[in-house]
Structures are given as structure tokens and as C-alpha cells.
Amino acid sequence: MSGLRRAAARAWGPPRALRAFSARPRDRIVETVGKLLQTKAQLETEEGKKNFILKTPKGTQDFSPKQMAIREKVFSTIINCFKRHGAEVIDTPVFELTETLTGKYGEDSKLIYDLKDQGGKEELGCFCMSGPAQARMYLQNHSSPSPLCSRKNRAYEGMVNDRRILSGVFAACGVPESKLQAACSTVDKLNKMTWEDVKNEMVGEKGLTPEAADLIGEYVKLHGGLDLVEQLLQDPRLSHNKLAGEGLRDMKLLFEYLMLFGIVDKISFDLSLARGLNYYTGVIYEAVLIQQQNDRVEELVDVGSVAGGGRYDGLVGMFDSKRQKVPCVGVSIGIERIFSIVNCKVKASKEKIRTTETQVLVAAPQKHFLAARLKLISELWDAGIKAEMLYRENPKLLKQLHYCEDTGIPLAAIIGEQELKDGVVKLRDVATRQEVDIPRQKLLEEIRRRLES
Amino acid sequence: MSGLRRAAARAWGPPRALRAFSARPRDRIVETVGKLLQTKAQLETEEGKKNFILKTPKGTQDFSPKQMAIREKVFSTIINCFKRHGAEVIDTPVFELTETLTGKYGEDSKLIYDLKDQGGKEELGCFCMSGPAQARMYLQNHSSPSPLCSRKNRAYEGMVNDRRILSGVFAACGVPESKLQAACSTVDKLNKMTWEDVKNEMVGEKGLTPEAADLIGEYVKLHGGLDLVEQLLQDPRLSHNKLAGEGLRDMKLLFEYLMLFGIVDKISFDLSLARGLNYYTGVIYEAVLIQQQNDRVEELVDVGSVAGGGRYDGLVGMFDSKRQKVPCVGVSIGIERIFSIVNCKVKASKEKIRTTETQVLVAAPQKHFLAARLKLISELWDAGIKAEMLYRENPKLLKQLHYCEDTGIPLAAIIGEQELKDGVVKLRDVATRQEVDIPRQKLLEEIRRRLES
């Protein structure tokens, strides 16, 4: 059970809505459609027309074929990365019982989208994180967790830190245990606030001494690699702190692995990385989009952290009366942010996005060839070739060829009087406009050969 | 805009929940996790332990890696079928404004899952059908719809009918316009009820005369192919009915196309097929799983209709003040029913389901080879090969080989003292247990060759 798997599951998981709502009897559909017809009647009144505005619910949106093509590309890149590393997939419902999320005595939270089930018996909530759902599923099923390893995409760099190192630093700087979490969430704001503001918050709001804050400032400004780890292992203030020692020794091991993976230059050990959630128990990390030369992305969208996560060995135990410790490591991917960036890139590059995967357009140069086209396209479909044809009875050849160019179909299989007589199909390469007659029985083979090359 | 596309979108659509809820600030996460910690404290009390039962919300479930592997296979079969026919993908939110579904003056329906948004300003609903969402998206975006063509899977057969033929039959049998829809939904029960019960309902509840009901009975018992279409085109009762004539002429055309597609023997023109929804305006169809010889599926699960749909040219107009007619044809797939069937099949066959796509396990026969394994697996990952290794420091070789057998990994790349000295990797075929030393620089090539064959 791991956030990595969760992210993968989310990425190509099946439609949860379908799953949850697909079992309802048709009678109810009939009933509801009756109401839709009622609506129709109401819309026909003048007042109805004036007041009815079509829109999606707040916070949601529709996706066009072009947007979906981009999303699918991004998802498949992520999914393939997970699969390359041996990931399994799980899926949990889109909502959880509120008591799983906040506890039955807990208050509502703004983070949780409230839902009422039909019977009004269960409190439901949608949660923007996957950890609690996975913890529940794990405990319900006793499936054994296996660790997973994630790698950074070339376009991104990573920052790592360790909760224990941060705790050790705070303790070494004189922060009492009771103020540790508060101090931690203030440090987490360093990417948005100046050090002065962070210090003011620590001293003013969180009640740290100015001396402790200054000392913390010395540490959280540090970032580097294995050398920094070694330096801190020698630091007299930290050497007596058990947690910091454990964290630093694990960080050293991590950097040894990063070297073996050949990605040590992409990862920065950064003591300002805190991440707000106090359920982390060890390593924490974020993937950050860095400014690239000759790339207009930075001008277009506000980027930064695009993924983050860490180790949270205590989460499962929170839901378990035996409080067993279960090793968990996870990552959440800021998928909407990545989509925005890719969208901007696509717009800036004026790259043409295909919204279908069609390989062949079946076309005819003369009238009355609908039957011939249907027969040919059926042969292609049966052979597993992705094919389309224009559904009009007698489309103009030029219109058919333009359709190929507009939608990016690479090949056209043209069948007309002469071709039918000669037992051939004219195969056209849409890009080069070259046409060759291919014997009908060799057509599938020739199409496959061209698609492979 | 079409239900076919919708089904495809649903199938590999991205996580709607993530989309809807991913933009919330981290502060709220911190706040909520605070509450989770509160829950933790409460769970530590005796009463908390007693009362806290982990479960998923009513009507939802978790999916294990094995279930997800099966689901992914089913989804990819469906998606590939859509892609082969040139489908585009769209996605609409998991919920719609209730007014889009029932109209702002409509009552609640049991079909609609009520939701309240956080601000309490919008009424939200989850609807178990995709038509209204697509109609709304179409009208909001003015994108041009294009028709799509669907084909039946080999395992299934199809029934077709046409709303206009059914209307014509009812009219010809003396059913007044006002009772047409009621009579239609009664006929729709013919697959669950005997003709006698259907007749009783028509006469008793729906107010048809016994004579009309008997006459309808003559027609709705009919099923066949092109011959039946021809016969009805000559039927003196139907020949004067405009709607029936249109429907029958289109049905004839459909059967001509089915012949060209080579699937005419898989489709039955069935006059009892009514489908409850009165938004259909033309052809209606259902895919039915038929009993197969030597196949224990039928004994295991209750099957029947697994997909259905039709033409609904009036739906977009319902939401549009100009009432424009937009050609729409769609199909809904009973995905949960298909999963049940496939699940039973898998269980009965004792077929081993892989939950990962891992191609190579990187293994070592001796201790202290963690670094060598990490370096080798990194090379495989960088080359796009799906690879795993056991994450323990010094796993036994036998354990590593058993892992391959248990999880279905076809190849093991073994690196030990001798191999390191000789500059080779021992490549093991897990099925045949044959091992060959491959020079390190030829390893990727050899792995790719073996995976392709």
C-alpha cells in the first residue's frame, strides 16, 4: 500500500462514479427522464428560457477532445513510469466515510466535501488526499505492503529532507517539543515568504525566542548534497540528537543510491523543505520544475512544486487499535498543475495535437462507393487497424484528403472504379502525397509495414 | 458528441475527484490532519476502539491489484475498440447541477445522488447516465458532433429495434398517442415477465383494450433479419403509418450495412426491444451475452444485456431555447456486469492474473550485491525496460527466483561475483529455467529480442 500506487490507480483507474451508481434499476431512469421532459416543457416557457443557464458545478470543468488527448499523454507518461518500476494498481472509492477521515467525534473540515447518502444514514466525505483511504483499505484487507521506488522526470529536479533531521535541528536550536510542529509549518512557508517574515512569525506567533529562530535560520538556509550530509553528521549541535543522527545516516544512504541511479545531480538536500503534514516520519521530498533556457513556459504559468511526498510509517496505525507500524512511502502528483504547464507549452509551440489514433482513412474518388468503402473499412477493422471513413454517402475526394490532413491521419486507402476492376487499392501517403496501387490481398501487410516504419 | 465517446472517456478518463478537489491550499490539509490526529487519540480510548469499524461507504468498494488488473484488461479492450473506429474522448464532471438534470422546478429523484457544495449555493447531483452531461457540454461549446459506428464483440450478440417502428406498431394496433409511452415501458418488461403478465399490465394498469393488447402481442413476438423487415414493409396495418415506414426503411439500410460488415448473423431485429427511456428517437439496440457451450459462466452469474443505447436526436434540443435538432447516437456499457462475468471466468479457469507488467527481475546469488543490483536495474529502467528487484539487502537467490514465478516475471538478470569479473549478466528464462551468459553491453538488445518473440 503506497501513495505511488495510489497515484497510479488514480491515473488510469476506472470511473468511480460509474461503479458507485451503475446498479440502479431502469425504472428510476424512466422516472427521471420523465422529469427531464418536464424540464423541457418548463424551458419552453419564456421565464424558463431566461433563467436557465448551462454550466458545470463550481470547481469542475468539461474537457474537450484536445484537452483529453494532452491529459492522456501526461497520464500515460506517469503510468508508464510507475509500471516500469513494477507498480501494482489499487482503487478506493471517490468518497470515504467522514468518520474515516475526521473520526466520529471530529468536526467538519473545509477540506472535506460533504455528501449525504440517499438514505441519510451515512456521512460521506471527499478527501483531497489518498493516505487515509489507503490506510483503511490496508487494514480491512491485511494485504502486505511492498515498498516502491520513484524516479524523477528529466524536466524536473527534486528536493529532499527528512522529518527527523528537521526535528533534530529544531531541538538542537532550543525549540521545545510542544512548539515543534508549529515551527515546522512556519519553515514550510520559506518558499513563499522571506526569511525575515518567517522569523517574525516564529517569534511573534509561535513563541520561539529570537535566538532559537536565528539559529534555525542558519540551518534552514543550507542545501547541498552528500557533502552537506557529511558536514551535518560532524555538527556538534546535531551529533547528540538521536533523531537527527538517524535521519542523516539514512540521507547518506539515499545519496549513495542516487549515485548508483545516476541522478545525484538532480537532487538537492534542502533543510528548508518541511511539508506541512505532520504525519511524515522520515524522508520527505518535492519535485520542482526548474527554469529552462529557451523555454517560454516560465513566462506563461506560475510553476514550482509539481509533486511531493514522503514516508509516513505511522498512518496505518492511526486507524488500528493495535497501533502496528506499517512502512509506507508515497507521492502525490500535482496533475492539474502539470496539465496547465503542458497546455501552455503546446499552445506556445503551435504543435498540432491529434485527438484520434486513426491510421487509415478509407476514401473513394467517385460517387456510389459507400458499399465498397464499408466493405474495405470492415476488413481493416477486423485486422485491428484503426480506420475511419467519412459517413456521408458521396463525399468529394478533396474533402476526404483534407480530413486526413486536418486530423493527422497518415494513410488514405482509396478505392474507385479502376481500383475495383484491377483488384487493387490505391494507398496514399498523406504527408508526401505519393500514391501506389497495392493488390488487395497484400493491403493489410503493406499498411502494417508502413505504420511500423 | 456521442455516448460512444462518453463511454470511452469514462473508461480511461482521469480522476474526476482529483480534478475537483486538487486545488485546495495546504493549510487546510494541515488543519484536517490535525483532526486525524485527534481521531487517533480518540481511537486510543476503549470506547473508540469498540465503535470504530473500518468500511467503505454504502454502494462503493475497494479494488485489489488483481481486480484492477482484470478491470484494466476489460477497459483496454473496450477503449481499443473505440479507438479502432476513430473515437475522440471527452470528459464531464462526475456531478452535474441538479437543474441540468431535473430542471430547476423539478423534484428530487431517487436516481440522483444529492450533494451539497461547501458554500451551500449550488445543488449538485450525480446522474447514472451520460446523456444530459453531454448535451450540456455540447450546447456550451458548440462543438460539432460526428456520428460514430460501433461493433459487437464476438462474445455477444445484438438486438435492434427502432422507436418509430414500435410507435407505428402501437398506433396501428389502436393505441392512442396519450398511452403510447406507458405501453412502451410495459413491453420493455417482456424480458422479465411473461406475455400474459405484460398483457394484464397493459389492459389493467395502462388502460389498453384487450384487442389492442392482443394485436400488439402478435407483433412484439416477432424477431428476425432482413426478411422480417421486408415482411413488415408489406404489412397492410403498418404501410399507412409514416413513422413505421421511416423506421423500417432505415432498418433495411442498417441490415445492408451489417451484411457489408459481415456481422448480419450476429444481430436480431427484435420487436419486443423497447428500452424504457423515451428520449430515443430512432434505432435502439442492446448487446446480449448468449449462452455458450462448454462455458461455465452461465452457471455462475446472471447475465443478459451488457450494453444498450440508441439514437436520441432530441436530447440536445431539450436544453436549448432554439430547440435545434442535433443527431446523437450513444451506447452505455454495463461495465460492472462485464467485470462480474470476467471475474467468474477467471476464477473458474484458475488462470493466473499478473498484477504488474514487470519484464525482468534483477537478482544476485551472493551477499553484498545491492549496489550492483541497483546499478543494473537503473540501466534497465533508463532503457525503458520494466524491471524490479527485491528491496532487501541480501535476499536468497531461491527467494528471488520464486518471486519471478509467483508474479509471472518472464526473465531474471542475475549478477554475481563471476558475472561481474567476466563482464556478463546471466539471463535466465524463468519458464524453461535455461540460463545464458550475455555480455553486459549486449544485455539490453538480448532482453528486447526475447521480450518481442
Side-chain angles (χ1 to χ4, degrees):
Chain A
M1 189 204 64
S2 130
L4 286 177
R5 294 180 184 196
R6 171 68 178 199
R10 280 280 177 258
W12 85 95
R16 261 83 42 97
L18 264 189
R19 171 149 50 83
F21 305 114
S22 60
R24 306 188 171 276
R26 190 188 290 172
D27 299 1
R28 296 196 186 162
I29 302 184
V30 177
E31 188 185 323
T32 300
V33 170
K35 276 172 192 151
L36 279 169
L37 289 172
Q38 242 177 283
T39 311
K40 177 187 162 192
Q42 284 153 359
L43 287 175
E44 281 159 12
T45 66
E46 276 313 306
E47 207 200 344
K49 271 184 220 169
K50 250 197 321 236
N51 295 332
F52 195 76
I53 298 156
L54 287 172
K55 56 181 180 181
T56 62
K58 200 174 67 183
T60 69
Q61 65 173 112
D62 291 327
F63 291 96
S64 70
K66 204 166 270 187
Q67 287 170 308
M68 285 305 291
I70 294 170
R71 292 176 83 83
E72 201 191 343
K73 208 175 153 191
V74 170
F75 272 120
S76 75
T77 303
I78 294 170
I79 289 164
N80 286 339
C81 180
F82 280 111
K83 288 197 173 177
R84 201 159 64 243
H85 296 81
E88 289 185 322
V89 189
I90 61 163
D91 196 21
T92 53
V94 69
F95 40 73
E96 287 285 328
L97 293 176
T98 309
E99 59 181 9
T100 303
L101 297 178
T102 59
K104 55 197 300 183
Y105 311 107
E107 298 154 48
D108 284 337
S109 160
K110 282 178 187 166
L111 187 69
I112 297 172
Y113 229 78
D114 285 325
L115 297 100
K116 278 255 180 284
D117 92 327
Q118 265 179 249
K121 283 178 205 133
E122 290 181 348
E123 287 263 323
L124 310 172
C126 288
F127 198 63
C128 78
M129 290 186 46
S130 55
Q134 285 172 36
R136 178 197 46 67
M137 180 174 174
Y138 168 73
L139 283 170
Q140 264 179 268
N141 296 287
H142 310 287
S143 58
S144 84
S146 59
L148 273 171
C149 182
S150 110
R151 311 196 71 207
K152 305 293 167 195
N153 192 303
R154 248 154 258 216
Y156 307 109
E157 301 225 337
M159 304 199 302
V160 287
N161 197 1
D162 191 297
R163 223 358 121 77
R164 293 164 297 176
I165 299 174
L166 213 53
S167 298
V169 165
F170 286 144
C173 296
V175 177
E177 180 83 29
S178 61
K179 291 179 180 164
L180 213 139
Q181 177 58 26
C184 202
S185 31
T186 305
V187 164
D188 202 35
K189 296 175 184 167
L190 259 181
N191 60 335
K192 282 172 274 172
M193 284 159 61
T194 63
W195 166 247
E196 281 64 38
D197 291 337
V198 168
K199 185 188 164 183
N200 286 341
E201 188 176 312
M202 279 185 175
V203 177
E205 290 178 35
K206 310 293 164 89
L208 267 57
T209 64
E211 294 72 30
D214 282 336
L215 213 44
I216 288 170
E218 294 297 308
Y219 283 101
V220 296
K221 279 173 194 159
L222 299 173
H223 54 91
L226 199 49
D227 50 339
L228 178 59
V229 181
E230 298 282 11
Q231 178 194 319
L232 292 176
L233 275 168
Q234 306 303 323
D235 186 291
R237 273 198 208 90
L238 297 179
S239 60
H240 300 299
N241 188 286
K242 188 171 163 275
L243 273 180
E246 279 176 26
L248 286 166
R249 279 188 296 275
D250 279 358
M251 188 62 73
K252 193 176 164 186
L253 198 60
L254 176 63
F255 269 87
E256 284 165 17
Y257 294 164
L258 294 177
M259 256 152 64
L260 290 165
F261 286 151
I263 51 169
V264 74
D265 57 324
K266 296 196 181 299
I267 313 290
S268 161
F269 169 36
D270 192 318
L271 272 96
S272 74
L273 182 69
R275 295 189 63 76
L277 296 171
N278 64 3
Y279 70 31
Y280 291 118
T281 55
V283 67
I284 48 179
Y285 38 79
E286 274 185 22
V288 182
L289 190 70
I290 52 161
Q291 184 130 19
Q292 290 175 302
Q293 291 287 336
N294 303 322
D295 189 335
R296 294 185 57 242
V297 166
E298 296 299 314
E299 301 167 32
L300 297 169
V301 281
D302 174 28
V303 291
S305 169
V306 288
R311 175 170 291 279
Y312 43 95
D313 293 351
L315 186 69
V316 170
M318 277 172 62
F319 295 102
D320 179 26
S321 55
K322 291 188 208 111
R323 295 197 58 187
Q324 58 177 326
K325 218 174 173 182
V326 178
C328 291
V329 61
V331 65
S332 299
I333 297 173
I335 208 78
E336 292 306 326
R337 185 170 279 195
I338 294 173
F339 283 133
S340 306
I341 296 163
V342 176
N343 262 327
C344 286
K345 255 195 159 153
V346 167
K347 266 185 200 157
S349 74
K350 297 198 170 81
E351 188 192 336
K352 216 168 176 178
I353 297 293
R354 289 200 66 184
T355 57
T356 70
E357 295 179 10
T358 307
Q359 298 162 323
V360 180
L361 184 88
V362 172
Q366 288 112 9
K367 282 189 178 181
H368 311 304
F369 270 77
L370 179 62
R373 285 190 292 143
L374 285 171
K375 214 166 143 49
L376 180 54
I377 202 169
S378 180
E379 282 173 36
L380 299 185
W381 283 336
D382 287 344
I385 292 165
K386 294 167 190 158
E388 275 185 83
M389 53 178 263
L390 297 199
Y391 292 93
R392 282 178 183 282
E393 216 166 330
N394 296 309
K396 293 235 165 68
L397 183 62
L398 201 64
K399 201 178 170 177
Q400 297 173 77
L401 298 178
H402 278 168
Y403 183 80
C404 291
E405 285 169 11
D406 289 347
T407 62
I409 300 174
L411 295 172
I414 302 167
I415 188 150
E417 265 171 47
Q418 193 59 44
E419 287 80 13
L420 216 55
K421 202 187 291 168
D422 298 349
V424 299
V425 169
K426 205 181 279 305
L427 199 59
R428 180 185 171 107
D429 183 307
V430 176
T432 65
R433 301 184 177 188
Q434 279 188 327
E435 295 181 345
V436 190
D437 282 352
I438 311 287
R440 184 87 173 224
Q441 69 274 20
K442 294 211 169 160
L443 180 65
L444 297 177
E445 191 188 319
E446 176 64 16
I447 288 173
R448 283 204 194 98
R449 197 189 60 75
R450 293 210 191 185
L451 292 173
E452 268 166 28
S453 64
Chain B
M1 188 203 65
S2 131
L4 287 178
R5 294 179 183 196
R6 170 68 179 201
R10 279 279 178 257
W12 83 93
R16 262 83 41 97
L18 265 189
R19 170 149 49 84
F21 305 114
S22 60
R24 304 187 172 278
R26 190 188 289 172
D27 300 0
R28 296 195 187 164
I29 303 184
V30 177
E31 187 184 323
T32 300
V33 170
K35 277 171 191 152
L36 280 168
L37 289 173
Q38 239 177 284
T39 311
K40 178 186 161 193
Q42 284 153 358
L43 288 174
E44 282 159 12
T45 68
E46 275 313 305
E47 207 202 344
K49 271 183 220 169
K50 251 197 318 235
N51 295 331
F52 194 76
I53 298 155
L54 287 172
K55 58 181 179 182
T56 61
K58 201 174 67 184
T60 69
Q61 65 174 112
D62 292 326
F63 290 96
S64 69
K66 204 165 270 185
Q67 287 170 307
M68 285 305 291
I70 294 170
R71 292 175 84 82
E72 200 190 344
K73 207 176 153 189
V74 171
F75 272 120
S76 76
T77 303
I78 295 171
I79 289 164
N80 286 339
C81 180
F82 281 110
K83 289 197 171 177
R84 200 159 65 244
H85 296 80
E88 289 184 321
V89 189
I90 61 163
D91 196 20
T92 54
V94 69
F95 40 74
E96 288 284 328
L97 292 176
T98 308
E99 59 180 8
T100 303
L101 298 178
T102 59
K104 56 196 300 183
Y105 311 105
E107 299 155 46
D108 284 338
S109 161
K110 282 178 186 164
L111 187 69
I112 296 173
Y113 229 78
D114 285 325
L115 296 102
K116 277 255 179 287
D117 92 322
Q118 263 180 249
K121 282 178 207 134
E122 289 180 348
E123 287 261 324
L124 309 173
C126 288
F127 198 62
C128 80
M129 290 184 48
S130 55
Q134 285 172 36
R136 178 197 45 67
M137 181 175 172
Y138 168 73
L139 283 170
Q140 265 180 266
N141 297 287
H142 311 286
S143 57
S144 84
S146 59
L148 272 172
C149 182
S150 109
R151 312 195 70 206
K152 305 293 167 196
N153 192 303
R154 246 154 260 217
Y156 307 109
E157 300 225 340
M159 304 199 301
V160 286
N161 197 0
D162 191 295
R163 221 2 118 75
R164 293 164 296 175
I165 299 174
L166 213 53
S167 299
V169 165
F170 286 143
C173 296
V175 177
E177 180 82 29
S178 60
K179 290 178 180 166
L180 214 138
Q181 177 58 28
C184 202
S185 32
T186 304
V187 165
D188 202 34
K189 295 175 184 167
L190 259 181
N191 59 338
K192 283 172 273 172
M193 284 158 62
T194 64
W195 166 247
E196 281 64 38
D197 290 337
V198 167
K199 185 187 164 183
N200 286 340
E201 187 176 315
M202 279 184 174
V203 177
E205 290 178 35
K206 309 294 165 89
L208 266 58
T209 64
E211 293 73 28
D214 282 335
L215 213 45
I216 288 171
E218 295 297 310
Y219 283 100
V220 296
K221 280 172 194 158
L222 299 172
H223 55 91
L226 199 50
D227 51 337
L228 179 58
V229 182
E230 299 282 10
Q231 178 194 317
L232 292 176
L233 275 168
Q234 307 303 324
D235 186 292
R237 272 197 208 89
L238 297 180
S239 61
H240 301 301
N241 188 285
K242 189 171 163 277
L243 273 180
E246 280 176 25
L248 286 165
R249 279 188 296 278
D250 279 358
M251 188 62 74
K252 193 176 163 187
L253 198 60
L254 176 64
F255 269 87
E256 284 165 18
Y257 293 164
L258 294 176
M259 256 152 65
L260 290 165
F261 286 152
I263 51 170
V264 74
D265 58 324
K266 296 196 182 298
I267 313 290
S268 161
F269 168 38
D270 192 319
L271 273 96
S272 74
L273 181 70
R275 296 188 62 77
L277 296 171
N278 64 3
Y279 71 30
Y280 292 119
T281 54
V283 67
I284 48 180
Y285 37 79
E286 274 184 22
V288 181
L289 190 70
I290 52 160
Q291 185 130 18
Q292 291 176 301
Q293 291 287 337
N294 304 322
D295 189 333
R296 294 184 58 241
V297 166
E298 295 299 314
E299 301 168 34
L300 298 169
V301 280
D302 175 30
V303 291
S305 169
V306 288
R311 175 171 292 280
Y312 42 94
D313 294 351
L315 186 68
V316 170
M318 278 173 61
F319 296 103
D320 179 25
S321 55
K322 290 186 209 114
R323 296 198 57 187
Q324 58 177 327
K325 218 173 172 183
V326 178
C328 289
V329 61
V331 65
S332 299
I333 297 173
I335 207 79
E336 293 306 325
R337 185 171 280 194
I338 294 172
F339 283 134
S340 307
I341 296 162
V342 176
N343 262 326
C344 287
K345 254 193 160 155
V346 166
K347 266 184 199 159
S349 74
K350 296 199 171 80
E351 188 192 335
K352 215 167 177 179
I353 296 294
R354 289 199 66 185
T355 58
T356 70
E357 295 179 9
T358 307
Q359 298 161 324
V360 180
L361 184 87
V362 172
Q366 289 112 7
K367 283 188 177 181
H368 311 303
F369 270 77
L370 179 62
R373 285 190 291 144
L374 285 170
K375 212 165 144 50
L376 179 55
I377 202 169
S378 180
E379 281 173 38
L380 299 185
W381 283 337
D382 287 345
I385 292 164
K386 293 167 190 157
E388 276 185 81
M389 54 179 263
L390 298 199
Y391 291 93
R392 282 180 182 282
E393 215 165 330
N394 296 309
K396 293 237 163 69
L397 183 61
L398 202 63
K399 200 176 171 180
Q400 296 172 79
L401 298 178
H402 278 168
Y403 183 80
C404 291
E405 285 169 12
D406 290 347
T407 61
I409 300 175
L411 295 172
I414 302 167
I415 187 149
E417 264 171 47
Q418 194 60 45
E419 286 80 13
L420 216 55
K421 204 187 287 167
D422 298 349
V424 298
V425 168
K426 205 182 281 304
L427 199 59
R428 180 186 172 105
D429 183 306
V430 176
T432 65
R433 301 187 176 185
Q434 278 188 330
E435 295 182 343
V436 189
D437 282 351
I438 311 287
R440 184 88 173 223
Q441 69 274 21
K442 295 210 168 161
L443 181 65
L444 298 177
E445 191 188 320
E446 176 64 16
I447 289 173
R448 284 203 194 99
R449 197 189 59 75
R450 294 211 190 184
L451 293 173
E452 269 168 27
S453 64

